[in-house]
């Protein structure tokens, strides 16, 4: 991580376009949507690999946001039609970590706090290192790099659901996440 550049924290994920005028259906990933999605807010864009070939925009500016049928609908500058909105499907909307407030709940963490933590089993055996936090429609996943001399680059990836039944403990002071995976999850 570059000490000079703050990390990007996910505050939303574009689920799909809504209508023909370029509105975006956004899955809210922040406890403060009323602060993050106000007109004038500038949000970073983190696209899936291979996504966004037509547009090189790295951010978007919110022009309007409203709730509709239990979802947040967002309009943004430059997203003027369904095709433009479709290009953003699956993109994460981010803010700089220096803009984010600390979570009040002790069981909530920013992605940047988890990346780099050592992953170990309940018995204490070290498994690997958290390389990324993936935000999927089904929930968050920890991408754990597990040493494997037979794999490319000497490690393989295991995707671990970030739920308390499988990740019962996160200790930022010790720099560890404790895993209690079901059989076969890390194979």
């Amino acid at each position: 991580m570059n000490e000079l550049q703050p990390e990007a924290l996910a505050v939303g994920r574009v689920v799909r376009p809504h209508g023909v005028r370029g509105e975006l259906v956004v899955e809210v990933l922040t406890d403060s949507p009323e602060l993050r999605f106000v007109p004038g807010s500038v949000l970073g864009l983190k696209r899936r690999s291979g996504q966004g070939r037509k547009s090189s925009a790295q951010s978007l500016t919110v022009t309007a946001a409203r709730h509709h049928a239990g979802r947040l609908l967002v309009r943004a500058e430059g997203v003027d039609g369904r095709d433009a909105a479709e290009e953003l499907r699956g993109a994460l909307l981010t803010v700089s970590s220096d803009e984010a407030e600390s979570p009040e709940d002790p069981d909530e963490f920013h992605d940047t706090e988890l990346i780099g933590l050592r992953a170990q089993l309940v018995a204490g055996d070290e498994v690997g290192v958290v390389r990324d936090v993936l935000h999927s429609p089904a929930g968050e996943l920890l991408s754990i790099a597990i040493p494997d001399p037979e794999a490319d680059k000497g490690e393989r990836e295991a995707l671990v659901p970030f739920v308390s039944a499988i990740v019962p403990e996160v200790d930022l002071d010790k720099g560890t996440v404790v895993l209690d995976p079901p059989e076969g999850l890390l194979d």
Side-chain angles (χ1 to χ4, degrees):
M1 172 173 33
N2 183 343
E3 294 294 327
L4 300 177
Q5 290 184 326
E7 289 290 314
L9 301 176
V11 295
R13 184 179 64 83
V14 178
V15 177
R16 60 182 171 81
H18 177 79
V20 296
R21 294 196 174 115
E23 276 188 306
L24 305 167
V25 176
V26 173
E27 174 189 4
V28 175
L29 301 175
T30 177
D31 290 338
S32 307
E34 68 284 353
L35 299 176
R36 301 292 174 214
F37 298 99
V38 296
S41 295
V42 178
L43 302 173
L45 283 172
K46 184 177 177 186
R47 295 184 166 113
R48 297 177 298 183
S49 58
Q51 183 186 18
R53 298 270 184 238
K54 293 179 186 173
S55 171
S56 62
Q58 299 300 311
S59 64
L60 62 80
T61 301
V62 175
T63 59
R66 64 186 175 101
H67 290 278
H68 174 72
R71 295 284 191 140
L72 183 65
L73 300 181
V74 174
R75 291 203 38 95
E77 285 180 12
V79 183
D80 297 323
R82 188 170 185 87
D83 290 341
E86 184 65 45
E87 279 188 47
L88 298 174
R89 182 187 291 258
L92 287 178
L93 304 174
T94 65
V95 296
S96 172
S97 61
D98 60 2
E99 295 177 33
E101 58 282 337
S102 296
E104 291 178 21
D105 185 340
D107 291 330
E108 287 185 28
F109 305 94
H110 292 303
D111 295 358
T112 55
E113 295 176 302
L114 299 170
I115 295 169
L117 296 181
R118 295 182 323 277
Q120 61 186 42
L121 298 176
V122 174
D125 301 330
E126 194 150 320
V127 175
V129 175
V130 177
R131 291 284 185 236
D132 201 359
V133 179
L134 308 175
H135 299 273
S136 75
E140 284 70 35
L141 298 168
L142 298 179
S143 171
I144 311 267
I146 300 175
D148 184 348
E150 296 178 16
D152 290 343
K153 300 179 184 178
E155 62 185 35
R156 61 185 169 80
E157 177 185 49
L159 297 178
V160 176
F162 191 41
V163 295
S164 60
I166 298 174
V167 185
E169 183 181 334
V170 175
D171 190 328
L172 298 177
D173 293 331
K174 289 182 183 176
T176 60
V177 292
V178 175
L179 306 178
D180 189 9
E183 188 172 330
L185 182 66
L186 301 177
D187 295 338

